[in-house]
Amino acid sequence: MGAVCDRLDELDHLGDGCDRGLVAALRFVLVCHQPTSRRRCRACRHQSARRLWRSRRWPCPVWLQVHYELIGPFAGGRHRQQ
């Protein structure tokens, strides 16, 4: 989580090389997908075996995709290749 925020800060300070609106949009999306105290994504849902809608475990697919695009798939070592 910290690495993604650090990278967004770097992009925000680049000025000419990056669109600030794009960085702001990414921040907004990631804020919507913050984990709860139970380490569940607030926005993502999936259907359980009993056909009930449950919150996804965090990091959710949205966070993983943004992380992969900004940092790389193996930074930090705990993400598996998809």
Side-chain angles (χ1 to χ4, degrees), residues 40-70:
R40 298 284 182 176
C41 178
R42 293 178 184 172
C44 291
R45 302 272 188 252
H46 71 86
Q47 199 170 21
S48 70
R50 293 184 295 171
R51 304 274 184 212
L52 301 172
W53 288 99
R54 304 275 185 201
S55 296
R56 281 193 181 272
R57 283 187 296 181
W58 195 87
C60 67
V62 172
W63 258 97
L64 290 175
Q65 185 64 38
V66 170
H67 184 276
Y68 290 166
E69 297 300 329
L70 290 178

Side-chain angles (χ1 to χ4, degrees), residues 1-58:
M1 185 165 127
V4 171
C5 294
D6 291 343
R7 181 70 174 132
L8 286 173
D9 287 341
E10 287 175 23
L11 291 174
D12 201 21
H13 289 31
L14 281 178
D16 298 335
C18 187
D19 181 11
R20 289 179 185 230
L22 179 63
V23 173
L26 270 175
R27 286 183 195 274
F28 179 78
V29 168
L30 294 178
V31 164
C32 293
H33 289 269
Q34 288 293 315
T36 63
S37 60
R38 295 181 59 197
R39 303 292 293 168
R40 298 284 182 176
C41 178
R42 293 178 184 172
C44 291
R45 302 272 188 252
H46 71 86
Q47 199 170 21
S48 70
R50 293 184 295 171
R51 304 274 184 212
L52 301 172
W53 288 99
R54 304 275 185 201
S55 296
R56 281 193 181 272
R57 283 187 296 181
W58 195 87

